Amino acid sequence: MKAQQMWQKFISVCPEYQNQSYQAWSYGVVPDELARLTIEQVKTATASAYEEYAIENEALPEVGELNIILDANEEAVCITKTNKVSVVPFLEVSEEHAFKEGEGDRSLGYWREVHEAFFAKSYQQSGLVFHDNILVVCEEFEVIYK
């Protein structure tokens, strides 16, 4: 099902959201796996590089935002609602946040390893240099429809 189809089904059962907007997107790495973890409510958080919002001229996520999570084929899998957003240096991302991201063994060590590799590659593609104090946007969410 496409994002618009899921949205129509969602607002038919939750009409209080019909005037709210949403973003539809897939995770940047292993979108099917991370979408599955989101549907299963193992993944209740995500992180992104702060500077990339400015480069792409995008607004930071906000509490209360709705997102339709897509798989690798751009099929809608669920709708999430953002509950918390914070911006912290890379080395200050907490163990709790790493656990909520639900990936790998859910440890902070695993989180740092995979996110450093991802951010370093992304920064290089944008002409930036990754370092341990880049700002990271930490977002927590809940699945409200699947």
Side-chain angles (χ1 to χ4, degrees), residues 42-91:
V42 171
K43 181 172 184 60
T44 59
T46 193
S48 48
Y50 179 85
E51 287 191 68
E52 292 190 343
Y53 286 91
I55 290 170
E56 296 179 15
N57 199 27
E58 286 186 30
L60 292 176
E62 294 182 14
V63 171
E65 262 183 5
L66 300 181
N67 294 285
I68 298 180
I69 306 302
L70 306 174
D71 66 13
N73 296 315
E74 297 191 0
E75 295 292 322
V77 298
C78 66
I79 299 176
T80 64
K81 183 177 182 178
T82 301
N83 295 326
K84 181 180 176 182
V85 178
S86 58
V87 179
V88 299
F90 182 83
L91 289 178

Side-chain angles (χ1 to χ4, degrees), residues 21-41:
S21 61
Y22 66 88
Q23 298 289 322
W25 52 270
S26 59
Y27 292 103
V29 176
V30 292
D32 290 340
E33 173 66 12
L34 297 182
R36 181 185 64 77
L37 291 172
T38 301
I39 292 168
E40 294 174 357
Q41 299 177 24

Side-chain angles (χ1 to χ4, degrees), residues 74-139:
E74 297 191 0
E75 295 292 322
V77 298
C78 66
I79 299 176
T80 64
K81 183 177 182 178
T82 301
N83 295 326
K84 181 180 176 182
V85 178
S86 58
V87 179
V88 299
F90 182 83
L91 289 178
E92 292 181 25
V93 172
S94 69
E95 289 183 35
E96 178 184 10
H97 185 83
F99 184 83
K100 288 179 179 181
E101 286 219 23
E103 300 169 36
D105 65 4
R106 301 180 84 173
S107 70
L108 182 57
Y110 178 87
W111 185 93
R112 284 186 177 157
E113 180 181 325
V114 298
H115 283 80
E116 179 175 344
F118 177 75
F119 291 151
K121 180 179 179 183
S122 178
Y123 265 52
Q124 182 179 27
Q125 291 171 344
S126 299
L128 302 171
V129 177
F130 173 83
H131 54 84
D132 287 343
N133 286 313
I134 68 161
L135 292 177
V136 176
V137 179
C138 297
E139 181 179 353

